[in-house]
Amino acid sequence: MTDTQNRVAMGYIKGVFGIKGWLKIAANTEYSDSLLDYPEWHLVKDGKTVSVTLEAGKVVNGELQVKFEGIDNRDSAFSLRGYTIEIPREAFAPTEEDEYYWADLVGMTVVNKDHTVLGKVSNLMETGANDVLMIDGEHGQILIPFVSQYIETVDTGSKTITTDWGLDY
């Protein structure tokens, strides 16, 4: 696995704040301030990767704002606008039993109890009541609630999810 394949996109830099190099972040995490748990970030845009170290961060009116070491003015900060924020997967905290990071579920093959391959997880969405697997395959897109009623097993070793879900649902 290459370094790029071992990193997970966690958001992007959407703009600058003030004149001292602070940046506004759009976080693709459950809690935006959880990005502050990672001191080293990889910023990626147009095939270019920049490694930065977090100097400070805060949430202001629900918006994550960060400052990187060596980025001390508005112009330097503005040059980072639009970069995707990637974090090495190995930096993630271990999960509890039956807990999974979304990034680990994306790409898994989904099969039902009849051993029919439904497709691969392309994304997940949060509905408020529960998360939903978005599965793309030869049967089109299938949406399956990620709840124990429908999810039988998640095998991270074989990257397979077994579900109690028929093609006619």
Side-chain angles (χ1 to χ4, degrees):
M1 182 178 284
T2 67
D3 185 46
T4 302
Q5 292 171 320
N6 199 28
R7 294 193 311 243
V8 178
M10 304 286 280
Y12 67 93
I13 298 173
K14 64 181 186 176
V16 299
F17 179 77
I19 60 170
K20 295 184 179 182
W22 282 81
L23 295 150
K24 297 178 187 180
I25 305 297
N28 296 335
T29 58
E30 184 174 6
Y31 304 105
S32 60
D33 64 345
S34 64
L35 274 174
L36 301 177
D37 295 339
Y38 306 101
E40 302 293 325
W41 293 11
H42 299 277
L43 307 179
V44 180
K45 182 178 175 183
D46 300 329
K48 179 182 176 187
T49 301
V50 177
S51 295
V52 294
T53 301
L54 195 61
E55 181 178 309
K58 58 188 175 183
V59 176
V60 178
N61 296 326
E63 178 179 71
L64 180 62
Q65 297 175 0
V66 301
K67 169 107 176 49
F68 299 126
E69 290 180 4
I71 305 295
D72 297 319
N73 60 61
R74 186 175 182 87
D75 292 337
S76 296
F78 189 81
S79 71
L80 297 175
R81 198 170 69 96
Y83 273 77
T84 299
I85 300 160
E86 293 184 352
I87 304 295
R89 175 60 183 90
E90 63 269 9
F92 289 14
T95 58
E96 299 292 325
E97 186 175 338
D98 294 329
E99 282 187 343
Y100 308 95
Y101 286 109
W102 282 15
D104 294 338
L105 298 174
V106 172
M108 284 190 164
T109 300
V110 180
V111 297
N112 66 14
K113 290 183 353 180
D114 298 328
H115 305 289
T116 302
V117 175
L118 303 178
K120 290 191 180 285
V121 177
S122 61
N123 205 347
L124 286 97
M125 67 177 161
E126 191 174 355
T127 64
N130 52 264
D131 297 334
V132 175
L133 297 173
M134 299 172 70
I135 299 154
D136 290 331
E138 65 181 65
H139 307 287
Q141 187 173 70
I142 300 170
L143 303 176
I144 301 175
F146 192 66
V147 294
S148 60
Q149 179 180 353
Y150 300 114
I151 303 301
E152 301 265 320
T153 60
V154 176
D155 186 339
T156 55
S158 69
K159 296 197 164 285
T160 304
I161 298 172
T162 305
T163 182
D164 184 9
W165 196 266
L167 287 174
D168 55 347
Y169 291 4

